Amino acid sequence: MQVLGIRAAPKEVRYAILEGNQDEVRFVNADDENRLRFPLQLKNPEEKIHWLYQEFVRILKLHPKIERIAIKEPEFTNQARSSRSGREIAYYNGVILLVAAKCGKYVRITQYKSIGTKYSQVSEFATEKVGCTKSNWNRQMADAVAVAWSEIPS
């Protein structure tokens, strides 16, 4: 079984595809595409939403073994909810929910407490569980790995 872990940010969306069970997990796209950067010409949220929709449809077609999708949502505070970037992230997560529903995929949206880690420890957590990407490793990528790992069956 494969799990798609997702962490959206205002300028890009990171995703990890994990396969296996918690005894043996393979990071399927560690050395392949795992970063969706919004094209610079896309200025409005509606343009970014349309582009992101197409990208996730493409990813699910390329990886038909994906059965579950896990979304790491921000640890919202009242300030974050009212910020522009917080709203954009919510829009992008909504796109992922729509694609998942249209493709019949199970989805779980979660925060650190449910994953079993903290903001300050997520990079180490993800690396310990499945390793890291060869390039562009950051906390958002670690979030995508950690949230996908949380949905891998025991």
Side-chain angles (χ1 to χ4, degrees), residues 9 14 22 24 28 61 74 80 87 92 99 122 129 144 149 154:
R14 302 304 301 268
Q22 289 184 355
E24 187 177 336
V28 174
K61 284 182 181 177
R87 288 190 306 272
Y92 306 149
V99 172
V122 71
K129 300 299 182 190
W149 184 86
S154 311

PDB file of all heavy atoms in Angstrom, residues 9 14 22 24 28 61 74 80 87 92 99 122 129 144 149 154:
ATOM      1  N   ALA A   9       2.342  24.954   1.262  1.00  0.00           N
ATOM      2  CA  ALA A   9       2.872  26.241   1.702  1.00  0.00           C
ATOM      3  C   ALA A   9       2.487  27.258   0.625  1.00  0.00           C
ATOM      4  O   ALA A   9       2.084  26.876  -0.475  1.00  0.00           O
ATOM      5  CB  ALA A   9       4.382  26.162   1.883  1.00  0.00           C
ATOM      6  N   ARG A  14       4.879  20.300  -0.973  1.00  0.00           N
ATOM      7  CA  ARG A  14       5.794  19.173  -0.892  1.00  0.00           C
ATOM      8  C   ARG A  14       4.976  17.905  -0.701  1.00  0.00           C
ATOM      9  O   ARG A  14       3.943  17.913  -0.036  1.00  0.00           O
ATOM     10  CB  ARG A  14       6.764  19.338   0.279  1.00  0.00           C
ATOM     11  CG  ARG A  14       7.610  20.610   0.236  1.00  0.00           C
ATOM     12  CD  ARG A  14       8.422  20.779  -1.046  1.00  0.00           C
ATOM     13  NE  ARG A  14       9.342  19.720  -1.331  1.00  0.00           N
ATOM     14  CZ  ARG A  14      10.611  19.696  -0.950  1.00  0.00           C
ATOM     15  NH1 ARG A  14      11.132  20.675  -0.255  1.00  0.00           N
ATOM     16  NH2 ARG A  14      11.393  18.676  -1.275  1.00  0.00           N
ATOM     17  N   GLN A  22       4.979  -0.290   8.926  1.00  0.00           N
ATOM     18  CA  GLN A  22       5.900   0.428   9.800  1.00  0.00           C
ATOM     19  C   GLN A  22       7.169  -0.342  10.130  1.00  0.00           C
ATOM     20  O   GLN A  22       8.128   0.227  10.631  1.00  0.00           O
ATOM     21  CB  GLN A  22       5.166   0.909  11.054  1.00  0.00           C
ATOM     22  CG  GLN A  22       4.212   2.034  10.720  1.00  0.00           C
ATOM     23  CD  GLN A  22       3.521   2.625  11.920  1.00  0.00           C
ATOM     24  OE1 GLN A  22       3.653   2.155  13.032  1.00  0.00           O
ATOM     25  NE2 GLN A  22       2.756   3.670  11.682  1.00  0.00           N
ATOM     26  N   GLU A  24       8.855  -1.941   7.679  1.00  0.00           N
ATOM     27  CA  GLU A  24       9.677  -1.728   6.486  1.00  0.00           C
ATOM     28  C   GLU A  24       8.964  -0.751   5.556  1.00  0.00           C
ATOM     29  O   GLU A  24       7.984  -1.101   4.908  1.00  0.00           O
ATOM     30  CB  GLU A  24       9.927  -3.048   5.753  1.00  0.00           C
ATOM     31  CG  GLU A  24      10.901  -2.920   4.615  1.00  0.00           C
ATOM     32  CD  GLU A  24      11.195  -4.260   3.952  1.00  0.00           C
ATOM     33  OE1 GLU A  24      11.028  -5.302   4.596  1.00  0.00           O
ATOM     34  OE2 GLU A  24      11.575  -4.229   2.778  1.00  0.00           O
ATOM     35  N   VAL A  28       9.255   6.179  -1.738  1.00  0.00           N
ATOM     36  CA  VAL A  28       9.165   5.955  -3.183  1.00  0.00           C
ATOM     37  C   VAL A  28       9.745   7.112  -3.998  1.00  0.00           C
ATOM     38  O   VAL A  28      10.469   6.895  -4.964  1.00  0.00           O
ATOM     39  CB  VAL A  28       7.695   5.686  -3.594  1.00  0.00           C
ATOM     40  CG1 VAL A  28       7.540   5.595  -5.101  1.00  0.00           C
ATOM     41  CG2 VAL A  28       7.184   4.424  -2.906  1.00  0.00           C
ATOM     42  N   LYS A  61      -2.452   9.625 -11.145  1.00  0.00           N
ATOM     43  CA  LYS A  61      -2.402   8.746 -12.327  1.00  0.00           C
ATOM     44  C   LYS A  61      -1.035   8.073 -12.450  1.00  0.00           C
ATOM     45  O   LYS A  61      -0.951   6.912 -12.833  1.00  0.00           O
ATOM     46  CB  LYS A  61      -2.709   9.548 -13.598  1.00  0.00           C
ATOM     47  CG  LYS A  61      -4.178   9.859 -13.760  1.00  0.00           C
ATOM     48  CD  LYS A  61      -4.454  10.613 -15.041  1.00  0.00           C
ATOM     49  CE  LYS A  61      -5.929  10.920 -15.152  1.00  0.00           C
ATOM     50  NZ  LYS A  61      -6.250  11.708 -16.343  1.00  0.00           N
ATOM     51  N   PRO A  74      -1.331  23.258   8.883  1.00  0.00           N
ATOM     52  CA  PRO A  74      -0.590  24.112   9.818  1.00  0.00           C
ATOM     53  C   PRO A  74      -1.185  24.050  11.214  1.00  0.00           C
ATOM     54  O   PRO A  74      -2.372  23.786  11.393  1.00  0.00           O
ATOM     55  CB  PRO A  74      -0.755  25.518   9.231  1.00  0.00           C
ATOM     56  CG  PRO A  74      -1.109  25.304   7.806  1.00  0.00           C
ATOM     57  CD  PRO A  74      -1.863  24.010   7.756  1.00  0.00           C
ATOM     58  N   ALA A  80      -2.817  33.024  12.402  1.00  0.00           N
ATOM     59  CA  ALA A  80      -2.512  32.278  11.172  1.00  0.00           C
ATOM     60  C   ALA A  80      -3.749  32.095  10.314  1.00  0.00           C
ATOM     61  O   ALA A  80      -3.674  32.142   9.088  1.00  0.00           O
ATOM     62  CB  ALA A  80      -1.906  30.922  11.511  1.00  0.00           C
ATOM     63  N   ARG A  87      -4.781  31.384   4.616  1.00  0.00           N
ATOM     64  CA  ARG A  87      -5.940  31.142   3.742  1.00  0.00           C
ATOM     65  C   ARG A  87      -5.530  30.392   2.479  1.00  0.00           C
ATOM     66  O   ARG A  87      -6.221  29.475   2.042  1.00  0.00           O
ATOM     67  CB  ARG A  87      -6.626  32.464   3.394  1.00  0.00           C
ATOM     68  CG  ARG A  87      -7.389  33.075   4.546  1.00  0.00           C
ATOM     69  CD  ARG A  87      -8.262  34.253   4.104  1.00  0.00           C
ATOM     70  NE  ARG A  87      -7.528  35.283   3.385  1.00  0.00           N
ATOM     71  CZ  ARG A  87      -6.894  36.319   3.942  1.00  0.00           C
ATOM     72  NH1 ARG A  87      -6.899  36.444   5.260  1.00  0.00           N
ATOM     73  NH2 ARG A  87      -6.271  37.216   3.215  1.00  0.00           N
ATOM     74  N   TYR A  92      -5.352  25.328  -0.886  1.00  0.00           N
ATOM     75  CA  TYR A  92      -4.605  24.238  -1.517  1.00  0.00           C
ATOM     76  C   TYR A  92      -4.988  22.892  -0.912  1.00  0.00           C
ATOM     77  O   TYR A  92      -5.125  21.904  -1.638  1.00  0.00           O
ATOM     78  CB  TYR A  92      -3.095  24.477  -1.419  1.00  0.00           C
ATOM     79  CG  TYR A  92      -2.665  25.824  -1.957  1.00  0.00           C
ATOM     80  CD1 TYR A  92      -1.575  26.492  -1.440  1.00  0.00           C
ATOM     81  CD2 TYR A  92      -3.379  26.456  -2.982  1.00  0.00           C
ATOM     82  CE1 TYR A  92      -1.190  27.726  -1.929  1.00  0.00           C
ATOM     83  CE2 TYR A  92      -3.005  27.690  -3.464  1.00  0.00           C
ATOM     84  CZ  TYR A  92      -1.903  28.332  -2.933  1.00  0.00           C
ATOM     85  OH  TYR A  92      -1.538  29.564  -3.405  1.00  0.00           O
ATOM     86  N   VAL A  99      -9.603  16.491  -5.224  1.00  0.00           N
ATOM     87  CA  VAL A  99      -8.990  15.473  -6.090  1.00  0.00           C
ATOM     88  C   VAL A  99      -9.149  14.091  -5.448  1.00  0.00           C
ATOM     89  O   VAL A  99      -9.502  13.118  -6.125  1.00  0.00           O
ATOM     90  CB  VAL A  99      -7.506  15.793  -6.369  1.00  0.00           C
ATOM     91  CG1 VAL A  99      -6.829  14.637  -7.095  1.00  0.00           C
ATOM     92  CG2 VAL A  99      -7.370  17.075  -7.175  1.00  0.00           C
ATOM     93  N   VAL A 122      10.453  17.486  13.827  1.00  0.00           N
ATOM     94  CA  VAL A 122       9.922  16.758  12.676  1.00  0.00           C
ATOM     95  C   VAL A 122      11.003  16.325  11.685  1.00  0.00           C
ATOM     96  O   VAL A 122      10.919  15.245  11.115  1.00  0.00           O
ATOM     97  CB  VAL A 122       8.784  17.539  11.976  1.00  0.00           C
ATOM     98  CG1 VAL A 122       9.304  18.756  11.230  1.00  0.00           C
ATOM     99  CG2 VAL A 122       8.000  16.623  11.056  1.00  0.00           C
ATOM    100  N   LYS A 129      12.617   7.729  10.437  1.00  0.00           N
ATOM    101  CA  LYS A 129      11.625   6.762   9.966  1.00  0.00           C
ATOM    102  C   LYS A 129      11.921   6.235   8.570  1.00  0.00           C
ATOM    103  O   LYS A 129      11.818   5.035   8.324  1.00  0.00           O
ATOM    104  CB  LYS A 129      10.218   7.361   9.989  1.00  0.00           C
ATOM    105  CG  LYS A 129       9.740   7.816  11.358  1.00  0.00           C
ATOM    106  CD  LYS A 129       9.673   6.674  12.342  1.00  0.00           C
ATOM    107  CE  LYS A 129       9.140   7.155  13.683  1.00  0.00           C
ATOM    108  NZ  LYS A 129       9.259   6.162  14.725  1.00  0.00           N
ATOM    109  N   ALA A 144       5.697  16.360   5.169  1.00  0.00           N
ATOM    110  CA  ALA A 144       5.042  15.456   4.216  1.00  0.00           C
ATOM    111  C   ALA A 144       5.415  14.001   4.498  1.00  0.00           C
ATOM    112  O   ALA A 144       4.553  13.114   4.469  1.00  0.00           O
ATOM    113  CB  ALA A 144       5.415  15.839   2.784  1.00  0.00           C
ATOM    114  N   TRP A 149       3.968   8.814   6.918  1.00  0.00           N
ATOM    115  CA  TRP A 149       4.359   7.708   7.807  1.00  0.00           C
ATOM    116  C   TRP A 149       3.260   7.419   8.837  1.00  0.00           C
ATOM    117  O   TRP A 149       3.015   6.273   9.170  1.00  0.00           O
ATOM    118  CB  TRP A 149       5.680   8.034   8.489  1.00  0.00           C
ATOM    119  CG  TRP A 149       6.159   6.897   9.332  1.00  0.00           C
ATOM    120  CD1 TRP A 149       6.899   5.833   8.903  1.00  0.00           C
ATOM    121  CD2 TRP A 149       5.894   6.672  10.706  1.00  0.00           C
ATOM    122  NE1 TRP A 149       7.127   4.965   9.949  1.00  0.00           N
ATOM    123  CE2 TRP A 149       6.515   5.467  11.070  1.00  0.00           C
ATOM    124  CE3 TRP A 149       5.199   7.379  11.681  1.00  0.00           C
ATOM    125  CZ2 TRP A 149       6.461   4.948  12.349  1.00  0.00           C
ATOM    126  CZ3 TRP A 149       5.130   6.867  12.967  1.00  0.00           C
ATOM    127  CH2 TRP A 149       5.765   5.666  13.293  1.00  0.00           C
ATOM    128  N   SER A 154       0.534  -0.696  10.635  1.00  0.00           N
ATOM    129  CA  SER A 154       1.521  -1.397  11.499  1.00  0.00           C
ATOM    130  C   SER A 154       1.830  -2.760  10.938  1.00  0.00           C
ATOM    131  O   SER A 154       1.070  -3.391  10.324  1.00  0.00           O
ATOM    132  CB  SER A 154       0.982  -1.564  12.898  1.00  0.00           C
ATOM    133  OG  SER A 154       0.465  -0.363  13.379  1.00  0.00           O
TER     134      SER A 154
END
